[in-house]
Amino acid sequence: DRVLWGDTHLHTSYSVDAGFFGTTLNPGMAYRFARGEEVVSSTGLRVKLIRPLDWLVVADHSEYFGLADMLASGDPAVQKDPVTARWYKMRQGTKEEGMQAFYEVVDSITKGDNLVKNPAIQRTAWDDTIGFAEQHNDPGVFTSVIGYEWTSSPSGNNLHRVVMFRDGADRAKQIVPFSGFDSDDPEKLWSWMQGYEDKTGGQVMAIAHNGNWGTGMMFAVEKLNGRPIDKSYASMRARWEPVYEATQIKGDSEAHPLLSPNDEFADFGTWDKGDVGGRNVITKEMLPHQYVRSALRLGLQQESKLGANPFKFGLIGSTDAHTGLATSREDNFFGKNPPGEPAADRWEHVFMEGQKEGTTYYNWETLASGLAAVWSRENTREAIWDAFRRKEVYATTGSRIIVRVFGGWGFTADDVERHDFADRGYADGVPMGGDLTRAPAGKAPTLMIRALRDPDNANLDRIQVIKGWLKKNGETAERIYDVACADDRAVVKRRCERPVGNTVDVADASYTNTIGQPLLTAYWKDPDFDPDQRAFYYVRVLEIPKPSWQAHDARYFGVKVSDEIPMTVQDRAYTSPIWYTP
């Protein structure tokens, strides 16, 4: 009966990459910041959230877990291993020597070759992480969800997953994180997760990393060994990975303009140059296996073929910040890592140098994104985890837009305006993440939708329904329906008759809410429904334009930025789908 706001994907000094790049905030400081306290960032800036989060997952990398923090502090444990002792000495030397140590670390992770033979390092760091989570967990007020990131990087490709536990210290301390050194195969991760549940009686899930920085592997229809996926694989993936990260700082993966040429809002935060480190160039053929909407369509095809849908996931956003700071607003954005924290020239810095031509990314391309919204009754580990399991969650690109959708067979336009809107939705339909099956004769799916603006942010532009379906010939299709338009704009040929407008004053990094509306509601009945065709529906809500973080930087620091920099942004929300199965 309420939305809880959080981040599933925050890194601290306990992540080897964050620590080497200068992050000094440990998990405890990350929780303090998320709860609303003021902290000092790694670059010495005072920073505080405008509004606290309700919950947080500190998701540090499992490979060399905690090592960077130990190297920075000179922990005695690093002196007991010859490799870490050498890295410690290099970090105390010149900047070039410190970076050489980092390159050795990254290379070994990419190769899956663990150079550190002291298991006490990971054990100590994991116990410390759990201790910080227990210290800051305050049921009903703030929830610290125990988790970490499994950093599978076969040949440099990003198959990362955030592993999220429902449990507390009593169960989580019985294991140490499964890492990419153990295996880079997701199926082996799922087997380990099953072993965790069998051993502890607890529960765990995985959240696949935003896939737009991969090379078509995140939603491949082949296993890592090259064999086609089968029903067992599809069922296991759907069971262990019920939710997917649709947006984050390193770009948005809801849709791609080449895959959705009729979607004028598809080219948002598009990162499609190359993979991690720019080892491989992303080609058009890879794109369908990297983006949410195309993956949902692939899932319909695979379900028809295999009898199970491997890509039946809900949607969330998160930051993937490596600063210990879960910031997602344009006017309070602290970047991906310490070199991306606020500074007059941060926008022009290289974010990642590509090894292939055209694969370099720049700081100005990063997004102030995203957030995970959870429909829940309680702010507890159990209630939040359960919401993820039933997919009653959604993504935003940074704003706290509240959106709710129910699907059913008998809703009417009047139901949207009822005071007991949600009660009606649950009683006679399904929420986001739910399933509709076996359409009654003569009936089509009806959706009732409510969207409310972030009270500290921009008005709403429109509500859209995104439909994908499987045609009789085995091909898939998609269609976008504008179902509510602010400012009395009519829907003409499935679109708002004109753009909402733009009140942004770029020089002043300001805007007004004199356009758009704070609340939009919609009743929609699928006009193109075929009861014999598999389909999915999700809702996209768009805000009116407002200044981007780059515009705020330009005003605050009094600098002129390059003409290629986007100075306005339309933040948005994506709900988890509702599926229809004949």
Side-chain angles (χ1 to χ4, degrees):
D1 52 15
R2 59 183 172 140
V3 173
L4 300 175
W5 295 99
D7 183 359
T8 66
H9 197 171
L10 181 69
H11 295 269
T12 75
S13 61
Y14 279 38
S15 283
V16 68
D17 50 354
F20 268 92
F21 272 104
T23 298
T24 59
L25 278 67
N26 65 26
M29 298 168 78
Y31 286 126
R32 285 175 48 206
F33 176 75
R35 294 187 62 152
E37 293 185 38
E38 180 182 294
V39 302
V40 176
S41 79
S42 301
T43 58
L45 301 173
R46 293 169 57 199
V47 56
K48 184 178 181 179
L49 287 175
I50 292 171
R51 276 185 289 158
L53 295 179
D54 298 305
W55 57 272
L56 176 68
V57 183
V58 170
D60 284 313
H61 293 292
S62 54
E63 297 70 26
Y64 299 134
F65 200 111
L67 176 61
D69 193 80
M70 291 182 177
L71 289 172
S73 66
D75 191 295
V78 302
Q79 307 295 342
K80 298 177 181 179
D81 183 287
V83 174
T84 57
R86 183 170 62 85
W87 285 343
Y88 172 72
K89 184 176 180 180
M90 293 170 73
R91 287 206 69 184
Q92 306 312 305
T94 65
K95 181 179 180 181
E96 289 72 21
E97 288 175 320
M99 288 308 299
Q100 181 58 42
F102 176 65
Y103 293 141
E104 290 183 19
V105 166
V106 171
D107 185 59
S108 70
I109 292 173
T110 302
K111 293 177 179 177
D113 182 15
N114 187 358
L115 301 178
V116 178
K117 306 307 180 184
N118 183 1
I121 290 178
Q122 186 185 45
R123 175 81 264 173
T124 299
W126 179 239
D127 288 350
D128 285 350
T129 293
I130 294 172
F132 284 124
E134 293 298 285
Q135 177 185 349
H136 292 279
N137 192 48
D138 188 3
V141 178
F142 178 85
T143 295
S144 56
V145 182
I146 296 171
Y148 73 91
E149 183 171 6
W150 173 72
T151 321
S152 167
S153 305
S155 303
N157 290 289
N158 188 326
L159 292 181
H160 304 183
R161 266 78 167 170
V162 169
V163 178
M164 189 169 90
F165 297 85
R166 191 176 187 267
D167 312 308
D170 57 334
R171 290 189 170 100
K173 275 194 171 185
Q174 295 182 41
I175 53 92
V176 292
F178 185 84
S179 79
F181 293 138
D182 297 306
S183 176
D184 60 5
D185 189 338
E187 291 185 89
K188 296 295 176 59
L189 173 67
W190 303 335
S191 295
W192 177 86
M193 293 165 69
Q194 181 67 68
Y196 166 82
E197 293 195 349
D198 292 343
K199 176 180 180 178
T200 68
Q203 291 181 277
V204 64
M205 70 173 65
I207 302 167
H209 186 291
N210 181 292
N212 62 345
W213 205 9
T215 50
M217 291 185 66
M218 184 55 74
F219 301 116
V221 293
E222 298 83 26
K223 301 180 183 182
L224 199 61
N225 61 15
R227 297 175 183 172
I229 63 174
D230 52 21
K231 184 175 183 179
S232 174
Y233 175 98
S235 299
M236 290 284 283
R237 179 161 183 163
R239 185 250 185 273
W240 293 111
E241 301 185 8
V243 171
Y244 174 69
E245 180 186 88
T247 190
Q248 58 140 286
I249 288 172
K250 297 196 304 292
D252 186 273
S253 65
E254 185 248 344
H256 191 283
L258 292 181
L259 302 176
S260 301
N262 297 319
D263 182 357
E264 62 269 41
F265 297 104
D267 193 10
F268 177 79
T270 305
W271 282 44
D272 60 359
K273 300 176 186 178
D275 63 355
V276 179
R279 294 176 178 83
N280 300 292
V281 176
I282 294 173
T283 66
K284 185 177 180 180
E285 292 71 31
M286 298 172 183
L287 296 178
H289 305 280
Q290 295 183 198
Y291 286 84
V292 166
R293 197 180 304 167
S294 54
L296 292 171
R297 290 169 58 173
L298 282 169
L300 299 180
Q301 286 181 319
Q302 293 299 310
E303 185 177 33
S304 177
K305 176 182 177 181
L306 303 175
N309 185 343
F311 309 134
K312 191 172 184 179
F313 48 76
L315 302 180
I316 59 159
S318 284
T319 64
D320 196 11
H322 283 55
T323 58
L325 304 170
T327 65
S328 65
R329 287 177 57 113
E330 304 295 328
D331 53 2
N332 192 33
F333 178 51
F334 268 66
K336 170 72 173 179
N337 46 45
E341 291 188 4
D345 61 347
R346 66 164 165 168
W347 60 272
E348 63 183 347
H349 292 175
V350 171
F351 176 83
M352 181 66 73
E353 186 73 50
Q355 298 180 23
K356 298 286 183 68
E357 184 178 356
T359 60
T360 295
Y361 290 93
Y362 295 88
N363 262 351
W364 68 262
E365 296 177 275
T366 58
L367 300 180
S369 182
L371 286 173
V374 175
W375 281 105
S376 182
R377 287 184 174 173
E378 296 178 337
N379 189 356
T380 63
R381 287 170 175 165
E382 296 80 10
I384 291 169
W385 196 94
D386 291 346
F388 272 73
R389 167 58 66 199
R390 64 179 184 269
K391 308 182 185 75
E392 201 169 356
V393 296
Y394 65 95
T396 85
T397 58
S399 290
R400 301 192 187 192
I401 304 166
I402 294 179
V403 57
R404 201 161 207 182
V405 56
F406 291 95
W409 302 110
F411 296 137
T412 67
D414 291 340
D415 290 331
V416 182
E417 308 303 330
R418 290 172 57 143
H419 71 280
D420 58 349
F421 162 84
D423 289 342
R424 167 77 165 128
Y426 284 119
D428 297 310
V430 297
M432 62 181 78
D435 289 276
L436 298 173
T437 58
R438 294 186 294 276
K443 296 284 188 178
T446 55
L447 303 183
M448 53 179 189
I449 308 161
R450 283 186 178 181
L452 182 67
R453 81 169 214 203
D454 181 332
D456 295 323
N457 228 304
N459 270 345
L460 305 180
D461 167 13
R462 69 188 73 196
I463 297 175
Q464 300 177 306
V465 172
I466 316 294
K467 177 187 177 182
W469 72 95
L470 182 66
K471 299 193 288 187
K472 290 180 173 61
N473 63 3
E475 296 179 356
T476 63
E478 67 179 52
R479 187 163 291 159
I480 301 169
Y481 304 83
D482 286 0
V483 298
C485 308
D487 300 337
D488 298 319
R489 290 172 294 161
V491 176
V492 179
K493 296 182 179 179
R494 300 193 299 271
R495 289 294 193 279
C496 299
E497 59 182 333
R498 63 182 184 277
V500 71
N502 191 335
T503 67
V504 174
D505 181 337
V506 172
D508 190 50
S510 64
Y511 68 102
T512 67
N513 275 325
T514 53
I515 61 174
Q517 290 175 215
L519 171 68
L520 290 175
T521 64
Y523 164 81
W524 180 78
K525 183 177 182 179
D526 185 353
D528 307 304
F529 181 63
D530 184 331
D532 296 324
Q533 295 177 340
R534 301 173 190 272
F536 63 81
Y537 307 86
Y538 69 90
V539 171
R540 182 169 68 184
V541 181
L542 298 173
E543 286 183 345
I544 65 171
K546 62 187 180 185
S548 65
W549 70 261
Q550 299 94 330
H552 284 284
D553 270 23
R555 174 189 173 276
Y556 184 86
F557 294 108
V559 297
K560 179 174 174 55
V561 300
S562 170
D563 291 339
E564 64 185 333
I565 308 300
M567 302 302 275
T568 64
V569 64
Q570 278 189 272
D571 270 330
R572 54 204 61 197
Y574 315 123
T575 71
S576 293
I578 292 172
W579 287 267
Y580 169 71
T581 306

